[in-house]
Amino acid sequence: MPVYPSVRDHGVSLCERAGYDVTVREDLRGPPALAEPEDAAVGLVDAEIPRPVAIEPLTEADVGPSGLVPRFADALREGRDCLFVVPSTEATGTTLTQVVATVLGDPACVAVDEPDGRHFYKGPDRVPLSDGSYACARAPAADLQWREVRVDEGRPRLELSVGTEVVAVFEHVDALGDAGRHAFQHAYRRADDGRFEVTAGGEVIERFPGPTAMRRGGYAPVPMPIVPEHLFPADADRSRWAVCQPDGGRDVLTAAGLHAWG
């Protein structure tokens, strides 16, 4: 994962000023820096109850649901608050901060939360199918939308739609974890020669040299929806985040609003 040192170092500086001992990590897996509260530390989310902090510097490409939510979930599973640090530029700094707050704020980590069901963000993972292939759809990836639809007093069903057309239906969100090949009209797999084969009805209907060519040919891999209960511990407090930017000084934005920290 690329890291802007100046972005990371701003998060490190804020944590140290607030009374944390910070370790910068070289391991590419997990947060680039971790902060442990010392005796006089001021908490990031709750000033009176400091918790360990995962410092997550972001690039512009990371600032979206698929980049934010998995990092945040990892922090909560480890018992940490999460401090996101976005790049500062005159054109994008404040906008990127607002995107983080929108994704992680109420409704936390879902696009829409209504009585009839939720609309989900699209995640970084693809939908695996029972025959070893992956789901795809004959539509631009941007047009794919996962949503719940309540039809009775039971759990809402899960639908994948392209505009007004429903292209896949599941009994509920948990059913997607064991999707049969029959659930989607189209699927793709990598053949022995390395080419990507798109199948329908048990037959190969298109072959492409790679995933980019497959997308250009009109077939988008279906992304897994980001379902919070699949990522977060059951008792997780999804307000344990903050976001800042290097030209923002001591200011951090949390679910409770903007304040100076440390």
Side-chain angles (χ1 to χ4, degrees), residues 23-36:
T23 301
V24 175
R25 305 169 67 249
E26 300 301 329
D27 190 344
L28 296 180
R29 296 170 298 178
L34 297 173
E36 292 291 333

Side-chain angles (χ1 to χ4, degrees), residues 56-60 62-65 67-69 71-72 82-87 92-110 121 238 241-245 253-255:
E56 289 283 6
L58 304 174
T59 67
E60 290 92 335
D62 297 324
V63 182
L68 294 168
V69 179
R71 288 174 168 88
F72 183 38
C82 195
L83 176 61
F84 292 101
V85 193
V86 301
T92 65
T94 300
T95 301
L96 295 176
T97 298
Q98 292 170 342
V99 171
V100 175
T102 297
V103 173
L104 301 182
D106 188 29
C109 305
V110 294
Y121 292 123
R238 284 183 248 160
W241 59 270
V243 56
C244 63
Q245 57 191 65
L253 179 63
T254 70

Side-chain angles (χ1 to χ4, degrees), residues 129-145:
L129 302 177
S130 56
D131 65 349
S133 63
Y134 291 85
C136 66
R138 191 162 178 72
D143 292 349
L144 299 175
Q145 174 65 61

Side-chain angles (χ1 to χ4, degrees), residues 66 70 122-128 134-135 146 188 221-226 231:
S66 64
K122 289 171 280 192
D125 298 325
R126 304 308 176 197
V127 176
Y134 291 85
W146 286 106
Y188 72 97
V222 174
M224 274 285 200
I226 294 177
L231 295 176

Side-chain angles (χ1 to χ4, degrees), residues 115-116 149-157:
D116 287 339
V149 177
R150 190 175 298 281
V151 294
D152 54 33
E153 295 302 315
R155 297 180 67 184
R157 72 189 182 202

